[in-house]
Amino acid sequence: MTDIQPKSGAKRLRLGTRGSPLALAQAHQIADGLRAASGGMLDAEIVTFTTTGDKLTTERLINSGGKGLFTRELDDALTRGELDLAVHSLKDVPTVLPPGQFFAAFPEREDPRDGFLSHTVKSIQELPEGAKLGTASLRREAQVLSLRPDLQVVTFRGNVATRMRKLEEGLADATFLAMAGLTRLGMADVATPVPLEDMLPAAGQGIIGVVVREDADPDLLDALSTLNHAQSRAAATAERAFLEKLDGSCRTPIAAHLFDNGDEWRLVGEVLSPGGAARWRGDGVCSKEASEAQLVLLGRAVAQEIIFAAKEALPVFGDER
């Protein structure tokens, strides 16, 4: 964290976030960045929210409305002018923001991989036949069952500490947590990263999205522009375009990741059937010099490739998911 302190007369901003330890760590990262970028002339008061998603500790998000459950309260407060900016884990944000809001910054992406946690083994492949795997993610469930159809999946929800406690209590033999969150909490050593080739992550996994209103303070926008990371913005744009074309929420197992291939971007996307019995992948490339519009087209093209391939098995990528 930066040592820069707010100066006398610094402009006070209200930064909204969820109240979990991970969300607070991300909020402090942005607050510190704003102070540093403004030379102490901007200061952020962190305002915490308990979202609808935070209140759901046992059931799947799909049963309660899917995406938006972790952002709705912050969205509304930002629209009402009670906040100046909101900080989100990008994978929790619906593909369409509320009217009058936009992403002002995507800081550098943290490790996008999933992390495998178990007290007995170090990988999915090492789990004994019939072992219990704890997750509430349809994506992770389908990907695991595609690799290991013999495993039993039990619902695991809650923040990092809650899921680790459930694992300790023996409610499952293994679980997954995003490496990005564990790294930001200084806990990366508790998990074994799963190769991207084995488990493609959720679109936007590892990226923080900073949302503001269209009438945001110019000084705030200037400071946020210095926090923006070009590669993270490219990934966010292409991966979210892929998700939007599929009408992606929490209702179908969907994964996507933008790979850096040196002189070009390569987007790989994936859709699985619930339970992982079927799996469809698509990919496409574009120049590193691609505009935002071209990255959107890349995301949509990869999604369309999968729609054509999967249309007989998954004819509707909408509400039925």
Side-chain angles (χ1 to χ4, degrees), residues 1 15 17-30 46 48-51 54 70 87-89 92 158-164 177-178 180-187 208:
M1 292 188 179
L15 183 159
T17 179
R18 294 165 59 200
S20 72
L22 174 56
L24 286 170
Q26 295 176 165
H28 281 291
Q29 176 183 331
I30 301 304
I46 294 177
T48 60
F49 290 75
T50 300
T51 67
D54 294 317
F70 291 111
V87 176
H88 303 292
S89 292
D92 292 334
N159 60 29
V160 171
T162 299
R163 284 189 249 180
M164 291 183 68
L177 288 167
L182 292 172
T183 301
R184 289 181 180 128
L185 291 172
M187 300 170 61
I208 296 172

Side-chain angles (χ1 to χ4, degrees), residues 253-267:
I254 299 175
H257 188 71
L258 188 72
F259 291 86
D260 184 346
N261 278 6
D263 60 349
E264 65 182 10
W265 299 122
R266 177 176 179 242
L267 179 66

Side-chain angles (χ1 to χ4, degrees), residues 161-174:
T162 299
R163 284 189 249 180
M164 291 183 68
R165 175 178 53 78
K166 289 180 177 180
L167 189 62
E168 189 73 36
E169 292 172 351
L171 299 181
D173 300 295

Side-chain angles (χ1 to χ4, degrees), residues 28-167:
H28 281 291
Q29 176 183 331
I30 301 304
D32 288 347
L34 289 174
R35 280 194 294 273
S38 66
M41 294 309 297
L42 293 178
D43 190 26
E45 171 193 359
I46 294 177
V47 183
T48 60
F49 290 75
T50 300
T51 67
T52 303
D54 294 317
K55 297 173 184 176
L56 299 172
T57 58
T58 57
E59 61 184 297
R60 290 182 182 274
L61 300 181
I62 185 176
N63 298 327
S64 303
K67 271 189 185 291
L69 293 175
F70 291 111
T71 66
R72 197 168 299 144
E73 286 79 4
L74 283 85
D75 295 341
D76 293 345
L78 186 61
T79 295
R80 292 193 299 266
E82 297 167 7
L83 296 173
D84 297 294
L85 66 160
V87 176
H88 303 292
S89 292
L90 188 62
K91 69 176 183 177
D92 292 334
V93 182
T95 53
V96 178
L97 292 177
Q101 297 183 17
F102 71 98
F103 285 108
F106 297 104
E108 186 172 1
R109 188 177 209 165
E110 191 47 85
D111 189 340
R113 295 173 294 180
D114 286 310
F116 176 82
L117 286 77
S118 173
H119 294 306
T120 57
V121 297
K122 290 294 185 182
S123 71
I124 303 164
Q125 291 80 3
E126 294 176 32
L127 284 169
E129 186 173 353
K132 291 183 179 179
L133 189 289
T135 184
S137 163
L138 288 181
R139 172 187 64 84
R140 287 170 175 157
E141 176 180 348
Q143 288 173 326
V144 165
L145 291 177
S146 179
L147 294 169
R148 289 286 308 274
D150 61 289
L151 297 180
Q152 299 180 58
V153 175
V154 296
T155 301
F156 252 34
R157 288 226 48 246
N159 60 29
V160 171
T162 299
R163 284 189 249 180
M164 291 183 68
R165 175 178 53 78
K166 289 180 177 180
L167 189 62

